[in-house]
Amino acid sequence: MVTFKNDACASSDSGRNGTCYTSTECQNKGGRALGNCAAGFGVCCVFIITGTGEVNQNCSYIQNPSFPSTYGDTTSLTYTIKKCSDEVCMVRLDFDSFTIRGPAATNEVTDGHNCQDSFTVTGTSGLSSPTICGMNSGQHVYMDMGHDSTNSATVSFTFSGTSTTRQWDIKVTQIPCYATNKPPGGCLQYHTDLAGRIKTFNFDDSSDQQHLASQEYNICIRQQAGYCCVEYSLCSDTNSWTLDADATTANTADLDTQCNADDHLRIQGFSAECNPGDFNIPLHTKLCGTQFGPSTTMAPGFNTKICDCVPPFNIEVYTDAIQEAASVSRGACLEYNQVPCVNNN
């Protein structure tokens, strides 16, 4: 009898991963055999859940009913993620495809940017993501599931009105408690590369250009060995810094106080230049207004850069429930790049 580990495998469905099982095990577990593994002794078993259902296998996929066709119904859908192993403490959701109805187009002063459709993921002890909607393909979220074997997470969709574009395909990866790639506590998103792109939710909707209301979450960047700072610059995309387009703050030395009542990003200890160890450089904690940067002399264009040399490297996103009068309030899109430490020897 041939035995092999139930490791992750690459399926014949391009870009989709699965778990290596025997063909009988795959069939009994409700998976789809898409390719071979274990030198041909096993099949790459892919688990796809449509409609309301239970996710109990690692590396599963949640899809809307009739995917890749769109979902036009208004029936709410809920998926329960149960641990595939007692060693699991966290789950990561990758939005391979994610389009649901975004904020309503409205000029009301209050209750603006509210989602018409909504997506939330809830974990242990009531931990929950903010309400997410709109266009978010390529984004991801993490959720803590706790240490108990009976802990679970819940993914919920609610819908308002019909839609001809609503579609999702979400990869569900369960993460062991001991995993080295597990994010620190409190991180809804976690970036582990030396360089990358960070966007607020629904930034990709370049037509309506509305960020989401009532957001409060933490984006974390893993500090690489030999790197002491993270440099941030605006994406070259149109309106990449319109988180609070109505704000009249001048982004002066009093920036941190001025941002308290506005939609803002919080980056603990950022400055206008990367110079770790220089205690004479003014440090700031919040970014808001129409200008990206801590000084009125900084250009508002996408070539403007700021730097954070105070680890851990986190960005806290905060938006209120009040819609700005400006027609464009797309949100924020930042390019980040980790900066090597300076060798003074």
Side-chain angles (χ1 to χ4, degrees):
M1 178 180 293
V2 177
T3 61
F4 50 85
K5 293 183 179 179
N6 301 127
D7 292 332
C9 54
S11 76
S12 58
D13 186 355
S14 179
R16 204 176 292 280
N17 295 328
T19 304
C20 195
Y21 285 115
T22 66
S23 58
T24 301
E25 287 176 319
C26 183
Q27 183 177 6
N28 290 341
K29 293 177 181 294
R32 304 179 189 179
L34 299 175
N36 297 321
C37 57
F41 291 102
V43 297
C44 194
C45 191
V46 177
F47 298 90
I48 299 176
I49 297 90
T50 59
T52 300
E54 182 178 291
V55 182
N56 52 26
Q57 296 291 328
N58 196 12
C59 195
S60 296
Y61 293 84
I62 293 173
Q63 294 180 343
N64 61 279
S66 70
F67 181 90
S69 297
T70 58
Y71 183 70
D73 204 342
T74 57
T75 303
S76 299
L77 299 172
T78 301
Y79 307 84
T80 301
I81 302 173
K82 294 190 175 181
K83 293 186 176 185
C84 63
S85 165
D86 291 347
E87 298 175 337
V88 169
C89 281
M90 185 170 287
V91 63
R92 172 175 169 137
L93 305 178
D94 284 281
F95 301 164
D96 291 345
S97 174
F98 188 111
T99 299
I100 59 178
R101 298 184 75 194
T106 174
N107 293 321
E108 294 179 0
V109 177
T110 59
D111 297 328
H113 298 282
N114 285 338
C115 290
Q116 298 177 90
D117 293 347
S118 70
F119 165 94
T120 57
V121 52
T122 305
T124 308
S125 302
L127 294 174
S128 180
S129 71
T131 298
I132 299 170
C133 66
M135 300 175 64
N136 296 290
S137 297
Q139 296 269 26
H140 72 274
V141 299
Y142 285 86
M143 182 53 60
D144 191 350
M145 295 180 71
H147 288 78
D148 291 345
S149 60
T150 57
N151 289 150
S152 63
T154 302
V155 173
S156 301
F157 283 94
T158 60
F159 308 107
S160 174
T162 60
S163 170
T164 59
T165 60
R166 190 183 290 141
Q167 181 195 74
W168 63 90
D169 183 12
I170 301 174
K171 180 181 178 181
V172 181
T173 305
Q174 301 194 27
I175 302 173
C177 306
Y178 56 79
T180 57
N181 62 339
K182 184 168 66 73
C187 299
L188 184 71
Q189 295 188 317
Y190 190 45
H191 296 265
T192 59
D193 295 330
L194 282 174
R197 171 174 282 209
I198 292 170
K199 299 179 290 187
T200 52
F201 292 116
N202 198 44
F203 180 84
D204 284 345
D205 187 351
S206 58
S207 297
D208 290 336
Q209 301 205 20
Q210 294 188 77
H211 68 71
L212 305 186
S214 305
Q215 303 284 291
E216 191 168 1
Y217 62 92
N218 206 16
I219 303 171
C220 304
I221 298 174
R222 182 176 65 185
Q223 183 180 8
Q224 299 280 3
Y227 291 80
C228 289
C229 303
V230 175
E231 188 176 65
Y232 299 98
S233 60
L234 293 181
C235 304
S236 58
D237 303 55
T238 303
N239 298 320
S240 59
W241 181 247
T242 50
L243 190 64
D244 195 341
D246 288 344
T248 57
T249 52
N251 288 356
T252 62
D254 197 29
L255 176 66
D256 300 335
T257 300
Q258 294 181 40
C259 288
N260 281 339
D262 297 312
D263 300 336
H264 63 264
L265 301 184
R266 182 183 179 92
I267 303 175
Q268 186 69 43
F270 76 88
S271 62
E273 55 186 296
C274 290
N275 196 353
D278 187 345
F279 299 104
N280 295 318
I281 298 177
L283 301 181
H284 302 272
T285 61
K286 295 178 183 177
L287 280 166
C288 66
T290 56
Q291 181 174 297
F292 181 75
S295 169
T296 56
T297 62
M298 298 182 74
F302 65 83
N303 58 338
T304 304
K305 297 179 180 180
I306 63 170
C307 196
D308 180 11
C309 298
V310 183
F313 301 130
N314 301 333
I315 299 177
E316 296 176 45
V317 178
Y318 172 82
T319 66
D320 56 30
I322 300 175
Q323 182 175 4
E324 297 79 24
S327 59
V328 175
S329 189
R330 189 176 183 183
C333 179
L334 306 182
E335 304 281 1
Y336 78 86
N337 183 55
Q338 297 201 40
V339 179
C341 301
V342 177
N343 188 351
N344 295 319
N345 295 329

